[in-house]
Amino acid sequence: MNNGAERRPTSGVAGFLAFAATPLCIMMALMTGLAGSHHSAHDLSWLTGMAAMYVLMGVLHSAPWLDRLSRW
């Protein structure tokens, strides 16, 4: 029994969005981190702020990239 766990290739807009999520999140993390670079050296807010959230989102949305790399 499959229970809907079968991985089907995405195509069209859904496929594009699946592959666009990770680079977009990483780009937003870089922009957010660089925009907040005026903090003092002892201020570690970039580790707990929006930049860290964007990196986490990029990691969580990396499944299509990892799937493609595993088939390569």
Side-chain angles (χ1 to χ4, degrees):
M1 181 148 60
N2 190 340
N3 293 334
E6 178 182 322
R7 297 206 46 153
R8 295 181 207 133
T10 57
S11 62
V13 175
F16 173 75
L17 290 176
F19 280 100
T22 296
L24 183 64
C25 290
I26 298 302
M27 182 176 54
M28 291 187 326
L30 288 173
M31 289 172 52
T32 304
L34 293 176
S37 64
H38 63 278
H39 296 294
S40 63
H42 67 279
D43 185 14
L44 297 177
S45 64
W46 62 273
L47 289 175
T48 59
M50 292 299 290
M53 184 201 67
Y54 288 135
V55 169
L56 180 62
M57 285 174 49
V59 169
L60 292 175
H61 288 288
S62 65
W65 289 99
L66 295 174
D67 186 40
R68 178 163 286 187
L69 285 174
S70 71
R71 284 188 272 142
W72 184 59

